[in-house]
Amino acid sequence: MPANNMRAAVYRGNSVVSVDEVETPLIGDGEILIRVEACGVCPTDLKKIEYNLLTPPRIYGHETAGVVAGVGAKVGKYRPGDRVIVFHHIPCGECFYCARKLYAQCPVYKKVGVTAGFEPAGGGFSQYVRVMDWIVERGVEKIPEGVPFEVASFVEPVNTCLKAVEQCAPQSGDVVLVQGQGPIGLIFTMLLKLRGCTIVATDTIPSRLELASQCGAAFAFDPRRADVSGKLKELTGGRGADMVFVATNVKGLVEEAVASSRPGAKIMLFAQTSDKERIELSGASICVGERSLLGSYSASVDIQRESADLVFSGKLPVHLLISHRVPLDKIELAFRLATHPGDFAGENPLKIIVHPQEFSV
């Protein structure tokens, strides 16, 4: 049994996170306790911390993989020792939005069902997390033997990307522009390669462009040095990309996506998660050009098993994306690496994995 207290990275407000001793969560009859072995650092959590979007105190982290450490009296699907990943959002399956498969808009989905204490916020940046009953029922997947925890932690982000890809329904042979080759952009590149697309990747960091080619991109350009829209037209007989995935929120990229795409193209906004972001486009570029401007947010329960299989089977080589492994007491370094990769150019930061059971001192 775990100790009464554990260590966790607690958001305290004013963009401050401190590694403190807190009570180990207690579980109810339908709940499980997970000993967290790996948790990926996600930009959405970093935004919440940097811009103080939610009231403190909270314990963030939702790309969680670990070992079942305790089960409630009414839990029959899992037992101590099971290796699992957990989704922190699961929809009700019965409301107006669930009937239309818009799960991220479901009121139950918006409730976080995994916590390490305080207001539920994912909790993966801690040694243990409590998984609530409705998540236990439908939001946990067992990790096969031989799959490392840090690889398994990619199941949730892969799900979010797969959801966006399926919404766009690319066809084999489509020319697809993926703007941004951070961890999310590279997952898009991998998924689109599996669909038989010709991928054009853009990023400003040379090491990411090299990795994009390794992950399936046919062409990789620095948009500061290449005329991206011109390159796409050269590759498509003057038409432009059939589809664009905007995987970073750099100003001007949506405008570039429109300029680089053909009439009738689909443009997927994936990184535009802030209410403060503004996009200015010609109405005719959408209306007369018959382009579809789409959005996709968070995960889908319908593809949970598929996303897990893609990761566990190795069809997606997500291990290539891991650049740093950080013990819990160095989590501030993890956040800096993920938020300001340009400040660590010699280290080529990409996907940062926190190991909550490890400490540097």
Side-chain angles (χ1 to χ4, degrees):
M1 292 296 292
N4 291 333
N5 293 330
M6 66 175 186
R7 303 276 282 174
V10 184
Y11 165 66
R12 296 294 184 181
N14 298 316
S15 304
V16 172
V17 173
S18 60
V19 178
D20 301 327
E21 189 171 278
V22 300
E23 291 185 5
T24 303
L26 298 176
I27 58 173
D29 285 348
E31 301 179 338
I32 63 175
L33 187 71
I34 295 176
R35 172 187 160 104
V36 182
E37 299 293 341
C39 186
V41 176
C42 174
T44 58
D45 283 337
L46 297 181
K47 284 184 181 180
K48 292 170 186 173
I49 294 168
E50 184 174 359
Y51 299 108
N52 302 295
L53 299 181
L54 299 174
T55 56
R58 293 176 191 254
I59 301 170
Y60 289 111
H62 61 266
E63 299 176 0
T64 303
V67 178
V68 175
V71 299
K74 295 182 180 179
V75 175
K77 292 172 66 177
Y78 306 101
R79 60 185 182 181
D82 284 345
R83 307 168 76 247
V84 297
I85 61 95
V86 59
F87 286 81
H88 61 312
H89 294 296
I90 290 293
C92 72
E94 299 174 353
C95 70
F96 174 91
Y97 290 109
C98 284
R100 289 154 179 80
K101 298 188 179 296
L102 294 167
Y103 300 123
Q105 311 308 320
C106 164
V108 172
Y109 188 96
K110 292 176 184 291
K111 290 171 55 181
V112 179
V114 182
T115 182
F118 310 114
E119 185 71 19
F125 300 142
S126 69
Q127 292 186 294
Y128 292 90
V129 293
R130 166 191 164 214
V131 183
M132 299 177 200
D133 54 2
W134 78 94
I135 305 290
V136 173
E137 290 172 11
R138 299 171 66 208
V140 178
E141 296 285 343
K142 291 184 180 179
I143 305 170
E145 288 300 323
V147 177
F149 290 111
E150 60 186 25
V151 168
S153 71
F154 278 88
V155 172
E156 192 271 349
V158 164
N159 184 303
T160 66
C161 294
L162 180 60
K163 173 185 171 183
V165 169
E166 292 202 342
Q167 187 175 336
C168 290
Q171 304 299 307
S172 179
D174 279 353
V175 176
V176 183
L177 170 62
V178 181
Q179 297 171 305
Q181 291 295 294
I184 291 297
L186 287 163
I187 291 172
F188 276 129
T189 295
M190 292 178 184
L191 289 169
L192 291 161
K193 178 64 175 177
L194 288 179
R195 301 285 176 113
C197 298
T198 298
I199 303 145
V200 177
T202 62
D203 203 284
T204 59
I205 299 176
S207 60
R208 295 186 176 188
L209 293 176
E210 292 173 11
L211 190 51
S213 298
Q214 193 175 344
C215 291
F219 305 92
F221 302 119
D222 183 335
R224 300 170 303 180
R225 295 178 171 83
D227 174 9
V228 176
S229 63
K231 293 286 188 183
L232 264 301
K233 289 181 171 59
E234 285 178 22
L235 293 170
T236 56
R239 293 187 306 276
D242 300 300
M243 201 170 291
V244 184
F245 287 82
V246 188
T248 183
N249 64 347
V250 175
K251 187 176 180 180
L253 280 193
V254 180
E255 292 85 344
E256 180 183 82
V258 171
S260 302
S261 63
R262 63 165 172 80
K266 295 176 181 177
I267 299 172
M268 170 57 71
L269 306 188
F270 193 81
Q272 287 57 45
T273 58
S274 170
D275 286 335
K276 297 181 179 180
E277 295 175 61
R278 294 291 178 266
I279 299 165
E280 186 172 336
L281 299 172
S282 155
S285 67
I286 305 300
C287 177
V288 178
E290 297 186 305
R291 291 176 176 85
S292 297
L293 201 57
L294 306 170
S296 182
Y297 183 70
S298 203
S300 168
V301 69
D302 287 349
I303 55 174
Q304 189 169 292
R305 185 68 252 168
E306 182 181 357
S307 61
D309 287 343
L310 283 168
V311 173
F312 298 156
S313 68
K315 288 181 181 178
L316 294 186
V318 293
H319 65 281
L320 297 175
L321 309 187
I322 302 171
S323 64
H324 292 75
R325 299 160 177 87
V326 179
L328 186 63
D329 60 321
K330 296 294 185 182
I331 198 164
E332 287 192 13
L333 171 62
F335 292 167
R336 291 201 305 275
L337 285 162
T339 307
H340 303 289
D343 295 344
F344 301 86
E347 300 182 46
N348 298 326
L350 196 57
K351 188 63 177 180
I352 319 299
I353 304 291
V354 175
H355 288 276
Q357 305 303 327
E358 296 179 9
F359 295 86
S360 62
V361 292

